[in-house]
Amino acid sequence: MATDRRMVHLVMLWLSPKKLFIQLILLVVFVTVGATEISPSGEAFGAGQTAFKPVSASVAKNIRYLLYDVNPPEGFNLRRDVFIRMASLMKSLLKTGDWVLVLPPWGRLYHWQSPDIHQIRIPWAEFFDVPSINRNIPVIEYEQFLAESGGPFIEQVYVLQSYAEGWTDGKWEEKVDERPCMERLMYSHDKQGYFRGWFWGYEETRGLNVTCLSVQGHASILAPVLLGNTTARSLMLDRAETVLHDHYAGKDYWDARRSMVFAKHLRMVGDEFRARYLNSTDESDKTHYNEDWTQMKSKLGSAKGGPYLGVHLRRKDFIWGHRKDVPSLKGAVNKMRSIMKKHKLDKVFVATDAAEEELEELKKLLPEMGRFEPTWEELELYKDGGVAIIDQWICAHARYFIGTSVSTFSFRIYEEREILGFDPKTTYNRFCGEKETDCEQPTHWKIEY
């Protein structure tokens, strides 16, 4: 039996500029004992299973593992969207066998630029409540996969790509074929004949086979390939963003999205900030939260929100990448003041990636602006991804929210507010560019339960 591996973090957070402090003790215990875990009832259960769904040892031996990765430049919130696509694929695979989705460790993302902070090999539990995800599909962390599968080997890697010829005769159809690789592979052979690659920062991981698949269609179109073309127990889909959602905004989509509950310690930090600086609590805001997402069904318009305006103002690459629909700082501030006056709000919380110079200008134009600004110790603990989630959580509880056009960061906030039960008119809003002639507002995607 493998040696027990236990990692315990005991962290005391000091939160208060007024010399008052709150001691928030986060105790995170990761325990791996051989290839099994122990349920609350004392019974062992296998890969990806929870106390809600135990399986026998004979079934556990036949489990197959699905891993995936995304194009390196893609950000945190697009990757969350790709997870939903993989969850849909899992639903198809689970109809004919026992599969577990291996959650790809976080790290080395473009927007995570805080210096001197270790931000690779980050497990999902740092950002999300993994047991909540398990209520929808069976999932495990990557290190649990290493323990269960017997070593750092992935038997089959499929690199997804489009078709070189594009749409045939301008006609779009779903199809998938093994094809020569169109781009230079991000994998190389080592002396032992294994494939080396990024593999989420795990240098010891090796691929046994790498094949390119041209694919055009929804995620579930890959199911026949994974079920019939290979007997490998561990399969990885690289460039998983290539496939589309099976039923965007349908029940399976929302089940997967709702299961992505933020880690409780991050929600607690956001709630503390709301209470201390924005006079916002779940009781007064009517934003009561059920820890079991399967039991949460908020009526639209039932949430009131805290007495502040929530804002996501994307800058940096959006300034040159989406010039027409991104406002100037002055234009953004004018819009914020207009909303605050209309809704009688005197506080505004801003989540932004603006550069330091723009932040200084923004503070001069909007002195009442509030932001979550972590200390170095907090940033080291939460990582850039955790700070982003705290920002989203605070924005999600505002009386009124306005986001940035085509930003997945804003999209995820729209969804969070939909889950909480806000009136769509207070949620699906975005800034307009000064030169934008047709400022279409975001579409309301209603939850299907």
Side-chain angles (χ1 to χ4, degrees), residues 331-378:
V333 170
N334 287 339
K335 181 62 175 178
M336 289 184 232
R337 290 201 180 283
S338 173
I339 295 172
M340 292 170 71
K341 181 179 180 180
K342 180 179 179 180
H343 294 274
K344 299 179 181 179
L345 303 172
D346 57 8
K347 294 181 180 180
V348 54
F349 175 83
V350 179
T352 182
D353 64 343
E356 196 60 40
E357 316 87 73
E358 282 202 322
L359 275 177
E360 291 303 317
E361 182 181 352
L362 195 56
K363 290 176 182 177
K364 291 178 182 177
L365 293 170
L366 194 67
E368 60 269 48
M369 177 184 77
R371 295 176 62 236
F372 177 73
E373 300 179 84
T375 64
W376 188 90
E377 289 78 13
E378 290 169 344

Side-chain angles (χ1 to χ4, degrees), residues 300 414-421 428 444-447:
L300 286 182
Y414 298 148
E415 291 170 341
E416 209 65 47
R417 291 175 63 85
E418 184 77 6
I419 292 168
L420 288 170
Y428 295 90
H444 173 207
W445 296 102
K446 190 175 180 180
I447 295 178

Side-chain angles (χ1 to χ4, degrees), residues 54-75:
V55 297
S56 67
S58 60
V59 172
K61 291 179 181 178
N62 296 320
I63 283 178
R64 301 176 75 184
Y65 301 93
L66 177 64
L67 303 93
Y68 74 95
D69 204 357
V70 179
N71 190 23
E74 301 296 355

